[in-house]
Amino acid sequence: MSRCPERLRIIVATCVGFGYSPVFPGTMGALWGIALFVPIGLWGYEPWRSLLIALALAATCWVTIALAPWAERHFQKKDSSAFVTDEVAGFLLTVLLFPAPWLPSPSVWIIVLWAFPVTRIIDMVKVPPARRLEKLPAGWGVLADDLLGSVYAAIVLNVLLFFLPSWFGVAVH
């Protein structure tokens, strides 16, 4: 991404400007995770759905790591609230891990309604050791705390689905 024009870097890093939102810029940027997930979820069947989500996640992680040094210089801050590709990656990891393969699968819309707020809340709370992971160099620190939060979110969601499947619109047999 070192040869990309400055304008393109800004567009990608801020997820088409969503990162400039005056209210919850990370959450606004993470909406792009929903925009990527929903078509895959509605169209894809397993294992293709998981593969496509994993590819979108890998691409988003790569973009975050590749743009992080530039973003740090551009925004004059290590993890600027305007740099939101890591939030997209976080949401994609949550939906990749939820529901676990041995649990019944809720609808795509139920997944979004649960996964999005749980992922965002856990990311904002910075459950340990997320804050320490932010200290990793360059894009790794920007990305790692979000990915750890997503693992926590997926665990919470899978536990809830296991014990309270009706909350997810899943019929209990």
Coordinates of all heavy atoms in Angstrom, one line a residue, residues 3-99:
R3 N 2.5 2.5 -2.3 CA 2.4 3.3 -3.6 C 1.0 3.8 -3.8 O 0.7 4.5 -4.9 CB 2.9 2.5 -4.8 CG 4.4 2.3 -4.7 CD 4.8 1.6 -6.0 NE 4.9 0.2 -5.8 CZ 5.1 -0.7 -6.7 NH1 5.3 -0.3 -7.9 NH2 5.1 -2.0 -6.4
C4 N 0.1 3.6 -2.9 CA -1.3 4.1 -3.1 C -1.3 5.6 -2.9 O -0.6 6.1 -2.1 CB -2.2 3.5 -2.0 SG -2.7 1.8 -2.4
P5 N -2.2 6.3 -3.7 CA -2.3 7.7 -3.5 C -2.8 8.0 -2.1 O -3.6 7.2 -1.5 CB -3.3 8.1 -4.6 CG -3.4 7.0 -5.5 CD -3.0 5.8 -4.8
E6 N -2.4 9.2 -1.6 CA -2.8 9.6 -0.2 C -4.4 9.6 -0.1 O -4.9 9.1 1.0 CB -2.3 11.0 0.0 CG -2.6 11.6 1.4 CD -1.5 11.2 2.4 OE1 -0.6 10.4 2.0 OE2 -1.7 11.6 3.5
R7 N -5.1 10.0 -1.0 CA -6.6 10.1 -1.0 C -7.2 8.7 -0.8 O -8.1 8.5 0.0 CB -7.1 10.8 -2.2 CG -8.6 11.0 -2.2 CD -8.9 12.2 -1.4 NE -10.3 12.4 -1.4 CZ -11.0 12.7 -0.3 NH1 -10.4 12.7 0.9 NH2 -12.3 12.9 -0.4
L8 N -6.6 7.7 -1.5 CA -7.1 6.3 -1.4 C -6.8 5.8 0.0 O -7.6 5.1 0.5 CB -6.5 5.5 -2.5 CG -6.9 4.0 -2.5 CD1 -8.4 3.9 -2.7 CD2 -6.2 3.2 -3.6
R9 N -5.6 6.1 0.5 CA -5.3 5.6 1.9 C -6.3 6.2 2.9 O -6.7 5.5 3.8 CB -3.9 6.0 2.2 CG -2.8 5.3 1.5 CD -1.5 5.8 2.0 NE -0.5 5.5 1.0 CZ 0.8 5.8 1.2 NH1 1.2 6.3 2.3 NH2 1.7 5.5 0.2
I10 N -6.6 7.4 2.7 CA -7.6 8.1 3.7 C -9.0 7.4 3.5 O -9.6 7.1 4.5 CB -7.7 9.6 3.4 CG1 -6.4 10.3 3.8 CG2 -8.9 10.2 4.2 CD1 -6.3 11.7 3.4
I11 N -9.4 7.2 2.3 CA -10.7 6.5 2.1 C -10.7 5.1 2.7 O -11.7 4.8 3.4 CB -11.0 6.5 0.6 CG1 -11.3 7.9 0.1 CG2 -12.2 5.5 0.3 CD1 -11.4 8.0 -1.4
V12 N -9.7 4.3 2.5 CA -9.7 3.0 3.0 C -9.5 3.0 4.6 O -10.3 2.3 5.3 CB -8.5 2.2 2.4 CG1 -8.4 0.8 3.1 CG2 -8.8 2.0 0.9
A13 N -8.6 3.8 5.1 CA -8.3 3.8 6.5 C -9.5 4.2 7.3 O -9.7 3.8 8.4 CB -7.1 4.7 6.8
T14 N -10.3 5.2 6.8 CA -11.4 5.7 7.5 C -12.7 5.0 7.1 O -13.8 5.4 7.5 CB -11.6 7.2 7.3 OG1 -11.9 7.4 5.9 CG2 -10.4 8.0 7.7
C15 N -12.6 4.0 6.3 CA -13.8 3.2 5.8 C -14.8 4.2 5.2 O -15.9 4.4 5.6 CB -14.4 2.4 6.9 SG -13.4 1.0 7.3
V16 N -14.3 4.9 4.1 CA -15.1 5.9 3.4 C -15.6 7.0 4.3 O -16.7 7.5 4.1 CB -16.2 5.2 2.6 CG1 -16.8 6.1 1.5 CG2 -15.8 3.9 1.9
G17 N -14.8 7.4 5.2 CA -15.1 8.5 6.1 C -15.9 8.2 7.3 O -16.1 9.1 8.2
F18 N -16.3 7.0 7.5 CA -17.1 6.6 8.7 C -16.2 6.8 10.0 O -16.8 7.1 11.0 CB -17.5 5.2 8.6 CG -18.8 5.0 7.8 CD1 -18.9 5.5 6.5 CD2 -19.8 4.2 8.3 CE1 -20.0 5.3 5.7 CE2 -21.0 4.0 7.5 CZ -21.1 4.6 6.2
G19 N -14.9 6.7 9.8 CA -14.0 6.9 11.0 C -14.0 8.3 11.5 O -13.5 8.6 12.5
Y20 N -14.5 9.2 10.7 CA -14.5 10.6 11.1 C -15.8 11.0 11.8 O -16.0 12.1 12.2 CB -14.4 11.6 9.8 CG -13.1 11.6 9.2 CD1 -12.9 11.3 7.8 CD2 -11.9 11.9 9.9 CE1 -11.7 11.3 7.2 CE2 -10.7 11.9 9.3 CZ -10.5 11.6 8.0 OH -9.3 11.7 7.4
S21 N -16.6 10.0 12.1 CA -17.9 10.3 12.8 C -17.5 10.9 14.2 O -16.7 10.4 14.9 CB -18.6 9.0 13.0 OG -19.7 9.2 13.9
P22 N -18.3 11.9 14.5 CA -18.0 12.6 15.8 C -18.5 11.7 17.0 O -18.1 11.9 18.1 CB -18.8 13.9 15.8 CG -19.9 13.6 14.7 CD -19.3 12.6 13.8
V23 N -19.4 10.7 16.7 CA -19.9 9.9 17.8 C -19.5 8.4 17.4 O -19.8 7.9 16.3 CB -21.4 10.0 17.9 CG1 -22.0 9.1 18.9 CG2 -21.8 11.4 18.1
F24 N -18.8 7.7 18.3 CA -18.5 6.3 18.1 C -17.9 6.0 16.8 O -18.4 5.2 16.0 CB -19.6 5.4 18.4 CG -20.2 5.5 19.8 CD1 -21.5 6.0 20.0 CD2 -19.5 5.2 20.9 CE1 -22.0 6.1 21.3 CE2 -20.0 5.3 22.2 CZ -21.3 5.8 22.4
P25 N -16.7 6.6 16.4 CA -16.2 6.4 15.1 C -15.8 4.9 14.8 O -16.0 4.4 13.7 CB -14.9 7.3 15.0 CG -14.6 7.6 16.5 CD -15.9 7.6 17.2
G26 N -15.3 4.2 15.9 CA -15.0 2.8 15.7 C -16.3 2.0 15.4 O -16.2 1.1 14.5
T27 N -17.3 2.3 16.0 CA -18.6 1.6 15.8 C -19.1 1.9 14.4 O -19.6 1.0 13.7 CB -19.6 2.0 16.9 OG1 -19.1 1.6 18.1 CG2 -20.9 1.3 16.6
M28 N -19.0 3.2 14.0 CA -19.4 3.6 12.7 C -18.6 2.8 11.6 O -19.1 2.3 10.6 CB -19.3 5.1 12.5 CG -20.3 5.9 13.3 SD -22.0 5.5 13.0 CE -22.5 4.9 14.6
G29 N -17.3 2.8 11.8 CA -16.4 2.1 10.9 C -16.7 0.6 10.8 O -16.7 0.0 9.8
A30 N -17.1 0.0 12.0 CA -17.4 -1.4 12.0 C -18.6 -1.8 11.3 O -18.8 -3.0 10.9 CB -17.5 -1.9 13.5
L31 N -19.4 -0.8 11.0 CA -20.6 -1.1 10.1 C -20.2 -1.7 8.8 O -21.0 -2.4 8.2 CB -21.4 0.2 9.9 CG -22.2 0.7 11.1 CD1 -22.7 2.1 10.9 CD2 -23.2 -0.2 11.6
W32 N -19.0 -1.4 8.3 CA -18.5 -2.0 7.1 C -18.3 -3.5 7.2 O -18.4 -4.2 6.2 CB -17.3 -1.3 6.6 CG -17.6 0.0 5.9 CD1 -17.7 1.3 6.6 CD2 -18.1 0.2 4.6 NE1 -18.1 2.2 5.7 CE2 -18.4 1.6 4.5 CE3 -18.3 -0.6 3.5 CZ2 -18.9 2.1 3.3 CZ3 -18.8 -0.1 2.4 CH2 -19.1 1.3 2.2
G33 N -18.1 -3.9 8.4 CA -18.0 -5.4 8.6 C -19.4 -6.0 8.4 O -19.4 -7.1 7.8
I34 N -20.4 -5.3 8.8 CA -21.8 -5.8 8.5 C -22.0 -5.8 7.0 O -22.6 -6.8 6.4 CB -22.9 -5.0 9.2 CG1 -22.8 -5.2 10.7 CG2 -24.3 -5.4 8.7 CD1 -23.7 -4.2 11.5
A35 N -21.6 -4.8 6.3 CA -21.8 -4.7 4.9 C -21.0 -5.8 4.1 O -21.5 -6.2 3.1 CB -21.3 -3.3 4.4
L36 N -19.9 -6.3 4.7 CA -19.2 -7.4 4.1 C -19.9 -8.7 4.4 O -20.0 -9.6 3.6 CB -17.7 -7.4 4.5 CG -16.9 -6.3 4.0 CD1 -15.5 -6.3 4.7 CD2 -16.7 -6.5 2.5
F37 N -20.3 -8.8 5.7 CA -20.8 -10.1 6.2 C -22.2 -10.5 5.6 O -22.4 -11.6 5.3 CB -20.8 -10.1 7.7 CG -21.6 -11.3 8.3 CD1 -21.1 -12.6 8.2 CD2 -22.8 -11.0 8.9 CE1 -21.9 -13.6 8.7 CE2 -23.6 -12.1 9.4 CZ -23.1 -13.4 9.3
V38 N -23.1 -9.5 5.6 CA -24.5 -9.9 5.2 C -24.6 -10.5 3.9 O -25.2 -11.6 3.7 CB -25.4 -8.6 5.4 CG1 -26.8 -8.9 4.8 CG2 -25.6 -8.3 6.9
P39 N -24.0 -10.0 2.8 CA -24.1 -10.7 1.5 C -23.5 -12.1 1.5 O -24.1 -13.0 0.9 CB -23.4 -9.8 0.5 CG -23.2 -8.5 1.2 CD -23.3 -8.7 2.7
I40 N -22.4 -12.2 2.2 CA -21.7 -13.5 2.3 C -22.7 -14.5 3.1 O -22.9 -15.6 2.7 CB -20.4 -13.4 3.0 CG1 -19.4 -12.6 2.1 CG2 -19.8 -14.8 3.3 CD1 -18.1 -12.3 2.9
G41 N -23.2 -14.0 4.2 CA -24.1 -14.8 5.0 C -25.4 -15.2 4.3 O -25.9 -16.3 4.5
L42 N -25.9 -14.3 3.5 CA -27.2 -14.6 2.8 C -26.9 -15.5 1.6 O -27.8 -16.3 1.3 CB -27.9 -13.3 2.4 CG -28.4 -12.4 3.5 CD1 -28.9 -11.1 2.9 CD2 -29.5 -13.2 4.3
W43 N -25.8 -15.3 1.0 CA -25.5 -16.1 -0.3 C -24.8 -17.4 0.0 O -25.2 -18.4 -0.5 CB -24.6 -15.2 -1.2 CG -24.1 -16.0 -2.3 CD1 -24.8 -16.3 -3.5 CD2 -22.9 -16.7 -2.5 NE1 -24.0 -17.0 -4.3 CE2 -22.8 -17.3 -3.7 CE3 -21.8 -16.8 -1.6 CZ2 -21.7 -18.0 -4.1 CZ3 -20.7 -17.5 -2.1 CH2 -20.7 -18.1 -3.3
G44 N -23.9 -17.3 0.9 CA -23.0 -18.5 1.1 C -23.5 -19.6 1.9 O -24.3 -19.5 2.8
Y45 N -23.1 -20.8 1.5 CA -23.4 -22.0 2.3 C -22.1 -22.5 2.8 O -21.0 -22.3 2.2 CB -24.1 -23.1 1.4 CG -25.4 -22.6 0.9 CD1 -25.6 -22.1 -0.4 CD2 -26.6 -22.7 1.7 CE1 -26.8 -21.6 -0.8 CE2 -27.8 -22.3 1.3 CZ -27.9 -21.8 0.0 OH -29.1 -21.3 -0.4
E46 N -22.1 -23.2 3.9 CA -20.9 -23.8 4.5 C -20.4 -24.9 3.6 O -21.2 -25.6 3.0 CB -21.1 -24.3 5.9 CG -21.4 -23.2 6.9 CD -20.3 -22.2 7.0 OE1 -19.1 -22.4 6.7 OE2 -20.6 -21.1 7.5
P47 N -19.1 -25.0 3.4 CA -18.0 -24.2 4.1 C -17.6 -22.9 3.3 O -16.7 -22.2 3.8 CB -16.8 -25.2 4.0 CG -17.0 -26.0 2.7 CD -18.5 -26.1 2.6
W48 N -18.3 -22.6 2.2 CA -18.0 -21.4 1.4 C -18.2 -20.1 2.2 O -17.4 -19.2 2.1 CB -18.7 -21.4 0.1 CG -18.4 -22.6 -0.7 CD1 -19.3 -23.7 -1.0 CD2 -17.2 -22.9 -1.3 NE1 -18.6 -24.6 -1.7 CE2 -17.3 -24.2 -2.0 CE3 -15.9 -22.3 -1.4 CZ2 -16.3 -24.8 -2.7 CZ3 -14.9 -22.9 -2.1 CH2 -15.1 -24.1 -2.7
R49 N -19.2 -20.1 3.0 CA -19.5 -18.9 3.8 C -18.3 -18.6 4.7 O -17.8 -17.5 4.8 CB -20.8 -19.0 4.6 CG -21.0 -17.8 5.5 CD -22.3 -17.6 6.1 NE -22.9 -18.8 6.7 CZ -24.1 -18.9 7.2 NH1 -24.9 -17.8 7.1 NH2 -24.6 -20.0 7.7
S50 N -17.9 -19.6 5.5 CA -16.7 -19.4 6.4 C -15.5 -19.0 5.6 O -14.7 -18.2 6.1 CB -16.5 -20.7 7.2 OG -17.6 -20.8 8.1
L51 N -15.3 -19.7 4.5 CA -14.1 -19.4 3.7 C -14.1 -17.9 3.2 O -13.1 -17.2 3.3 CB -14.0 -20.3 2.5 CG -12.8 -20.1 1.6 CD1 -11.5 -20.2 2.2 CD2 -12.9 -20.9 0.3
L52 N -15.2 -17.4 2.7 CA -15.3 -16.1 2.3 C -15.2 -15.1 3.4 O -14.5 -14.0 3.2 CB -16.6 -15.8 1.5 CG -16.8 -16.6 0.2 CD1 -18.2 -16.4 -0.4 CD2 -15.7 -16.0 -0.8
I53 N -15.7 -15.4 4.6 CA -15.6 -14.5 5.7 C -14.1 -14.5 6.1 O -13.5 -13.4 6.4 CB -16.4 -14.9 6.9 CG1 -17.9 -14.8 6.6 CG2 -16.1 -14.1 8.2 CD1 -18.8 -15.5 7.6
A54 N -13.4 -15.6 6.1 CA -12.0 -15.7 6.5 C -11.2 -14.9 5.5 O -10.2 -14.2 5.9 CB -11.6 -17.2 6.5
L55 N -11.5 -15.0 4.2 CA -10.8 -14.2 3.2 C -11.0 -12.7 3.4 O -10.0 -11.9 3.3 CB -11.2 -14.6 1.8 CG -10.7 -16.0 1.3 CD1 -11.3 -16.3 0.0 CD2 -9.2 -16.0 1.3
A56 N -12.2 -12.3 3.7 CA -12.5 -10.9 4.0 C -11.7 -10.4 5.2 O -11.2 -9.3 5.3 CB -14.0 -10.6 4.1
L57 N -11.7 -11.3 6.3 CA -11.0 -11.0 7.5 C -9.5 -10.9 7.2 O -8.8 -9.9 7.7 CB -11.2 -12.1 8.5 CG -10.4 -12.1 9.8 CD1 -10.6 -10.8 10.6 CD2 -10.6 -13.3 10.6
A58 N -8.9 -11.8 6.5 CA -7.5 -11.7 6.1 C -7.1 -10.5 5.4 O -6.1 -9.8 5.7 CB -7.1 -13.0 5.3
A59 N -8.0 -10.1 4.4 CA -7.7 -8.9 3.6 C -7.8 -7.7 4.5 O -7.0 -6.7 4.4 CB -8.8 -8.8 2.5
T60 N -8.8 -7.6 5.4 CA -8.9 -6.5 6.3 C -7.7 -6.4 7.3 O -7.3 -5.3 7.6 CB -10.3 -6.5 7.1 OG1 -11.3 -6.7 6.1 CG2 -10.5 -5.3 7.9
C61 N -7.3 -7.5 7.8 CA -6.1 -7.5 8.7 C -4.9 -7.0 7.9 O -4.1 -6.2 8.4 CB -5.9 -8.9 9.2 SG -7.1 -9.5 10.4
W62 N -4.7 -7.5 6.7 CA -3.6 -7.1 5.9 C -3.6 -5.6 5.7 O -2.6 -4.9 5.8 CB -3.5 -7.8 4.6 CG -2.4 -7.4 3.7 CD1 -1.1 -7.8 3.8 CD2 -2.4 -6.4 2.7 NE1 -0.3 -7.2 2.9 CE2 -1.1 -6.3 2.2 CE3 -3.4 -5.6 2.1 CZ2 -0.8 -5.4 1.1 CZ3 -3.1 -4.7 1.1 CH2 -1.8 -4.6 0.6
V63 N -4.8 -5.1 5.3 CA -4.9 -3.6 5.1 C -4.6 -2.8 6.3 O -3.9 -1.8 6.3 CB -6.3 -3.3 4.5 CG1 -6.6 -1.8 4.6 CG2 -6.5 -3.8 3.1
T64 N -5.1 -3.3 7.5 CA -4.8 -2.6 8.7 C -3.3 -2.6 9.0 O -2.8 -1.5 9.4 CB -5.6 -3.3 9.9 OG1 -7.0 -3.3 9.6 CG2 -5.3 -2.6 11.2
I65 N -2.7 -3.7 8.9 CA -1.2 -3.8 9.2 C -0.4 -2.9 8.2 O 0.5 -2.2 8.6 CB -0.8 -5.2 9.3 CG1 -1.4 -5.9 10.5 CG2 0.8 -5.3 9.3 CD1 -1.3 -7.4 10.5
A66 N -0.8 -3.0 6.9 CA -0.1 -2.3 5.9 C -0.3 -0.8 6.0 O 0.7 0.0 5.8 CB -0.6 -2.7 4.5
L67 N -1.5 -0.3 6.4 CA -1.7 1.1 6.5 C -1.3 1.7 7.9 O -1.2 3.0 8.0 CB -3.2 1.4 6.3 CG -3.7 1.4 4.9 CD1 -5.2 1.7 4.8 CD2 -3.0 2.5 4.0
A68 N -1.1 0.9 8.9 CA -0.9 1.4 10.2 C 0.3 2.4 10.3 O 0.1 3.5 10.9 CB -0.7 0.3 11.2
P69 N 1.5 2.1 9.8 CA 2.5 3.1 9.9 C 2.2 4.5 9.2 O 2.4 5.5 9.8 CB 3.7 2.5 9.1 CG 3.4 1.0 9.2 CD 1.9 0.9 9.1
W70 N 1.6 4.4 8.1 CA 1.1 5.6 7.4 C 0.1 6.3 8.3 O 0.1 7.6 8.4 CB 0.5 5.3 6.0 CG -0.2 6.5 5.5 CD1 0.3 7.5 4.7 CD2 -1.6 6.7 5.6 NE1 -0.7 8.4 4.5 CE2 -1.9 8.0 5.0 CE3 -2.7 6.1 6.3 CZ2 -3.2 8.5 5.0 CZ3 -3.9 6.6 6.2 CH2 -4.2 7.8 5.6
A71 N -0.9 5.6 8.8 CA -2.0 6.2 9.6 C -1.4 6.9 10.8 O -1.9 7.9 11.2 CB -3.0 5.1 10.0
E72 N -0.4 6.3 11.4 CA 0.2 6.9 12.6 C 0.8 8.2 12.3 O 0.6 9.2 13.0 CB 1.2 5.9 13.2 CG 1.8 6.4 14.5 CD 2.7 5.3 15.1 OE1 2.6 4.1 14.8 OE2 3.6 5.7 15.9
R73 N 1.5 8.3 11.1 CA 2.0 9.6 10.7 C 0.9 10.6 10.3 O 1.0 11.7 10.7 CB 3.0 9.4 9.5 CG 4.3 8.7 9.9 CD 5.3 8.6 8.8 NE 4.8 8.1 7.5 CZ 4.7 6.8 7.2 NH1 5.1 5.9 8.0 NH2 4.2 6.4 6.0
H74 N 0.0 10.1 9.5 CA -1.1 11.0 9.0 C -1.9 11.5 10.1 O -2.2 12.8 10.1 CB -1.9 10.2 8.0 CG -3.0 11.0 7.4 ND1 -2.8 11.9 6.4 CD2 -4.4 11.1 7.8 CE1 -4.0 12.5 6.1 NE2 -4.9 12.1 6.9
F75 N -2.4 10.7 11.0 CA -3.3 11.2 12.1 C -2.5 11.6 13.3 O -3.2 12.0 14.3 CB -4.3 10.1 12.5 CG -5.2 9.7 11.3 CD1 -5.1 8.4 10.7 CD2 -6.2 10.6 10.9 CE1 -6.0 8.1 9.7 CE2 -7.0 10.2 9.8 CZ -6.9 9.0 9.2
Q76 N -1.2 11.4 13.3 CA -0.3 11.8 14.4 C -0.7 11.2 15.8 O -0.7 11.8 16.8 CB -0.2 13.4 14.5 CG 0.3 14.0 13.3 CD 0.4 15.5 13.3 OE1 -0.2 16.1 14.2 NE2 1.1 16.1 12.4
K77 N -1.1 9.9 15.7 CA -1.5 9.2 16.8 C -1.3 7.7 16.5 O -1.6 7.3 15.4 CB -2.9 9.5 17.2 CG -3.4 8.9 18.5 CD -4.8 9.4 18.9 CE -5.2 8.9 20.2 NZ -6.5 9.1 20.5
K78 N -0.9 6.9 17.5 CA -0.7 5.5 17.2 C -1.9 4.8 16.7 O -1.9 4.1 15.7 CB -0.1 4.7 18.4 CG 0.1 3.3 18.0 CD 0.8 2.5 19.1 CE 0.8 1.1 18.7 NZ 1.8 0.2 18.7
D79 N -3.0 4.9 17.4 CA -4.3 4.2 17.0 C -5.4 5.2 17.0 O -6.2 5.3 17.9 CB -4.6 3.0 17.9 CG -5.8 2.2 17.5 OD1 -6.3 2.4 16.4 OD2 -6.1 1.2 18.2
S80 N -5.4 6.1 16.0 CA -6.3 7.1 15.8 C -7.7 6.6 15.8 O -8.0 5.5 15.1 CB -6.0 8.0 14.6 OG -7.1 8.8 14.3
S81 N -8.7 7.3 16.3 CA -10.1 6.8 16.3 C -10.6 6.9 14.8 O -11.6 6.2 14.5 CB -11.0 7.6 17.2 OG -10.9 9.0 16.8
A82 N -10.0 7.6 14.0 CA -10.4 7.7 12.6 C -10.0 6.5 11.8 O -10.6 6.2 10.7 CB -9.9 9.0 11.9
F83 N -8.9 5.8 12.2 CA -8.4 4.6 11.5 C -9.2 3.4 12.0 O -9.0 2.9 13.1 CB -6.9 4.5 11.8 CG -6.2 3.3 11.2 CD1 -6.5 3.0 9.9 CD2 -5.2 2.7 11.8 CE1 -5.9 1.9 9.2 CE2 -4.5 1.6 11.2 CZ -4.8 1.3 9.9
V84 N -10.2 2.9 11.2 CA -11.2 2.0 11.7 C -11.2 0.6 11.0 O -12.1 -0.2 11.2 CB -12.6 2.6 11.6 CG1 -12.7 3.7 12.7 CG2 -12.9 3.1 10.3
T85 N -10.2 0.3 10.2 CA -10.2 -1.0 9.5 C -10.1 -2.1 10.5 O -10.6 -3.2 10.3 CB -9.1 -1.1 8.4 OG1 -7.8 -0.8 9.0 CG2 -9.4 -0.1 7.3
D86 N -9.4 -1.9 11.6 CA -9.3 -2.9 12.7 C -10.7 -3.2 13.3 O -10.9 -4.4 13.7 CB -8.4 -2.4 13.8 CG -8.7 -1.1 14.4 OD1 -9.2 -0.2 13.6 OD2 -8.5 -0.9 15.6
E87 N -11.6 -2.3 13.3 CA -12.9 -2.6 13.8 C -13.7 -3.5 12.9 O -14.5 -4.3 13.3 CB -13.7 -1.3 14.0 CG -13.0 -0.1 14.6 CD -12.4 -0.3 16.0 OE1 -12.8 -1.3 16.7 OE2 -11.5 0.4 16.4
V88 N -13.5 -3.3 11.6 CA -14.1 -4.2 10.6 C -13.6 -5.6 10.8 O -14.3 -6.6 10.8 CB -13.8 -3.7 9.2 CG1 -14.4 -4.6 8.1 CG2 -14.4 -2.3 9.0
A89 N -12.2 -5.7 10.9 CA -11.6 -7.0 11.2 C -12.2 -7.7 12.4 O -12.5 -8.9 12.4 CB -10.1 -6.9 11.3
G90 N -12.4 -6.9 13.5 CA -12.9 -7.4 14.7 C -14.3 -8.0 14.5 O -14.6 -9.2 15.0
F91 N -15.2 -7.3 13.8 CA -16.5 -7.9 13.6 C -16.5 -9.1 12.8 O -17.2 -10.1 13.1 CB -17.4 -6.8 12.9 CG -18.8 -7.3 12.6 CD1 -19.7 -7.5 13.6 CD2 -19.1 -7.7 11.3 CE1 -21.0 -8.0 13.4 CE2 -20.4 -8.3 11.1 CZ -21.3 -8.4 12.1
L92 N -15.6 -9.1 11.7 CA -15.5 -10.3 10.9 C -15.0 -11.5 11.6 O -15.5 -12.7 11.4 CB -14.6 -10.0 9.7 CG -15.2 -9.0 8.6 CD1 -14.2 -8.7 7.6 CD2 -16.5 -9.6 8.0
L93 N -14.1 -11.3 12.5 CA -13.6 -12.5 13.3 C -14.7 -13.0 14.2 O -14.9 -14.2 14.4 CB -12.4 -12.1 14.2 CG -11.8 -13.3 15.0 CD1 -11.5 -14.5 14.1 CD2 -10.6 -12.8 15.8
T94 N -15.5 -12.1 14.8 CA -16.6 -12.6 15.7 C -17.6 -13.4 14.9 O -18.0 -14.5 15.3 CB -17.4 -11.4 16.3 OG1 -16.5 -10.6 17.1 CG2 -18.5 -11.8 17.2
V95 N -18.0 -13.0 13.7 CA -19.0 -13.7 12.9 C -18.4 -15.0 12.3 O -19.1 -15.9 12.0 CB -19.7 -12.9 11.9 CG1 -20.5 -11.8 12.5 CG2 -18.8 -12.3 10.8
L96 N -17.1 -15.0 12.2 CA -16.4 -16.3 11.7 C -16.5 -17.3 12.8 O -16.7 -18.5 12.5 CB -15.0 -16.0 11.3 CG -14.2 -17.2 10.8 CD1 -14.8 -17.7 9.5 CD2 -12.7 -16.8 10.6
L97 N -16.3 -16.9 14.1 CA -16.3 -17.8 15.2 C -17.6 -18.1 15.8 O -17.8 -19.0 16.7 CB -15.3 -17.3 16.3 CG -13.9 -17.1 15.9 CD1 -13.1 -16.4 17.0 CD2 -13.2 -18.4 15.4
F98 N -18.7 -17.4 15.4 CA -20.0 -17.5 16.0 C -21.0 -17.8 14.8 O -21.1 -17.0 13.9 CB -20.4 -16.3 16.7 CG -21.8 -16.3 17.2 CD1 -22.2 -17.2 18.2 CD2 -22.8 -15.6 16.6 CE1 -23.5 -17.2 18.6 CE2 -24.1 -15.6 17.0 CZ -24.5 -16.5 18.0
P99 N -21.8 -18.8 15.0 CA -21.8 -19.8 16.0 C -20.8 -20.9 15.8 O -20.4 -21.1 14.7 CB -23.2 -20.4 16.0 CG -23.6 -20.3 14.5 CD -22.9 -19.0 14.0

